[in-house]
Amino acid sequence: QVQLVESGGGLVQPGGSLRLSCAASGSIFSIGGMGWYRQAPGKQRELVATIASSGITNYADSVKGRFTISRDNAKNTMYLQMNSLKPEDTAVYYCNARIRARHVPTTLDYWGQGTQVTVSS
């Protein structure tokens, strides 16, 4: 069974930093693209950043220059370094990954359970 587990959320003051982690575990054959999404209260889930297996990254305009996505393929782990945080970054952050499990012929989308990030003074 494959699962994604996020960690690193919390309460931070405006201008502060947080680092989120997303660890994939289980019977994994390969991991393709990975990404971070967020959902604020009363709003739809939105893309924050993605990173391909090649390392190519993509960011939402709202986080460009402040957030950095990265991955450690040896550890099956993805990160999101968030700097210069703003109150509008407050949301539940979810990680997503395209994973092919061992003994499964297809690649599936997996989601983590989410981690709360609150930016407030």
Side-chain angles (χ1 to χ4, degrees):
Q1 183 178 359
V2 174
Q3 62 176 347
L4 299 177
V5 178
E6 300 108 334
S7 61
L11 172 65
V12 63
Q13 292 186 341
S17 298
L18 282 175
R19 188 191 194 207
L20 305 183
S21 298
C22 171
S25 63
S27 185
I28 295 171
F29 178 77
S30 65
I31 302 177
M34 305 180 78
W36 290 96
Y37 293 75
R38 67 187 181 186
Q39 187 167 19
K43 294 187 177 181
Q44 291 188 332
R45 189 173 298 188
E46 64 176 3
L47 170 72
V48 176
T50 61
I51 183 166
S53 55
S54 63
I56 295 174
T57 60
N58 178 59
Y59 296 92
D61 288 343
S62 60
V63 307
K64 281 181 181 177
R66 299 188 299 121
F67 291 9
T68 302
I69 189 172
S70 61
R71 62 191 287 173
D72 184 335
N73 292 329
K75 296 182 178 179
N76 289 340
T77 301
M78 174 179 62
Y79 306 95
L80 185 68
Q81 178 66 43
M82 304 186 293
N83 299 328
S84 303
L85 282 160
K86 304 176 181 180
E88 50 263 44
D89 294 318
T90 295
V92 177
Y93 284 69
Y94 298 90
C95 68
N96 166 265
R98 297 277 294 169
I99 297 175
R100 182 178 171 187
R102 294 187 187 279
H103 312 300
V104 176
T106 58
T107 298
L108 301 176
D109 262 330
Y110 290 85
W111 290 88
Q113 81 286 355
T115 185
Q116 176 70 46
V117 171
T118 302
V119 185
S120 175
S121 55

